[in-house]
Amino acid sequence: MTDDRPHLAVIGAGPAGLAATVAAASHGVRVTLIDSATQAGGQFYRQPAAALNAGRPQALHHQWRTWERLSNSLAGHVAAGRVTYLTDHHVWFVERRLKQRVGDAGRDAFTVHALLGPAQEAPVEVRADSVLLATGGYEKVLPFPSWTVPGVLTAGGAQAMLKGTLAVPGRTAVVAGTGPLLLPVATGLAAAGVEVAALVESADPRAFVRRTRALAAQPGKVVEGAQYAAQLLRHRIKLLTRHTIVEAHGDERLEAVTVAALDADGRVRPGTEHRIACDTLAVGHGMLPHTDLAETLGCGLDGTDVQVDDEQRTDVPGVWAAGETTGIGGAALSLAEGHIAGRSAAARLNGTEPDPSSWAPAAKSRTKLREFFAALDAVYAPPAGWTDLITDDTVVCRCEEVTGGAIREAVDGLGAGDVRTVKLLTRAGMGWCQGRVCGPAVAGLAGCELAPPRRPFARPVPLGVLARAGESEPAPD
């Protein structure tokens, strides 16, 4: 049967994508929700595999009632035929087609190209009138000597392992880096039976004193921080602030890490180095937005964030964006932005002018949360001297095995002054991840800003799929 309702494709089923889908479907728009995972929720609401029969999955989550409300709403819209939910669909490109005739309202203006299933070889197309990007973010990785030894993983990776598989990465862990993510990772691992030897945070807690206004506007977040502090005490986790990881130790497996105190300039204070025995290091230095699809559509960026207006519209007609892709700010901000984007998209697809008063509470929450996370960003910045820890033999680009020395030679000896030139001279960023992992480190060593590279596709695509592009069958509505 042909469905003549306006059609919105939402890419990403994390908090922003779920909120947008529910909002748009509730206001007369047909929605196709597309996600690479097998279950909705994204990283924040990541669920254990069904086969594990988890008895209390809520023990691993915050805002569980919010998740239940979103999950139940999604299921209701799917059952009613208002939403088509496509799991295990890996989007690699969004094509924007020109209108075919004067007066065309933009129907079928976009084609979302995806690869189906774990093999990611079968092509699928989803055609829609408009697109909403809720593609989330990914962790910023800053290398240090021996960070490639088995047992070192990202903080988000440790959390994903715990939430998704109910497994822990080791018996004794150190959680290190900077940012609010370290707190739930450390306390989550401890609650799961891991001995967390230390939480190593490079930020100075005194910096929060200068930002009391933004903190006071979010009392719930302050209470949440106090609760984490209580859990650190309960699990006897040593908190080392103004410290950083200097080096990892071990051959076949991580055996220990060296940490050191930082001076007022963010550099290691000589003589403060000491070892901590552990078999796991979960390290994180914040996150970066996923902007690949937005860039290929021509959406404007503000630094590394997708630019949006008060309705969450990008500067490309028919394209909305919400959540971490517009700036890292956590699940609550993503929910607010997703709700606004879904309401705005539904109104405009239905040919009416959106009424901002209908999402006023979400807009108020968005403003306060943006101010709050701007204050956090100023506090949770990597230490100024982090590049000093990268020795010449430290691997920076794991895909192409490019060392810090090779990058310094490209900069100091060959005159490279940006990430692209370093890439051309050293192959750093030419591997499987296309610079997503090594990009921040290369930019730091080159002394330049991290500018998102213009990638033609959001993920690797088989040549056969490219050859058949345009011939694949649309996904069922």
Side-chain angles (χ1 to χ4, degrees), residues 12 58 66 79 81 93 130 151 177 179 194 202 225 364 385 399 405 465:
Q58 63 269 29
T66 302
F93 188 67
S130 293
V194 177
S202 64
K364 183 178 179 180
C399 297
V465 170

Side-chain angles (χ1 to χ4, degrees), residues 7-11 20 110 129-135 294 297 299 306-323 325-326 337-350 354 359:
H7 185 196
L8 174 68
V10 177
I11 302 174
F110 295 89
D129 306 320
S130 293
V131 172
L132 196 155
L133 304 174
T135 48
L297 281 165
C299 301
V306 177
Q307 289 182 313
V308 292
D309 64 10
D310 289 343
E311 295 182 31
Q312 299 296 136
R313 292 182 299 173
T314 72
D315 54 3
V316 175
V319 179
W320 281 256
T325 191
T326 68
E337 291 187 354
H339 178 79
I340 294 169
R343 293 287 294 262
S344 169
R348 293 195 176 276
L349 282 169
N350 283 320
W359 62 69

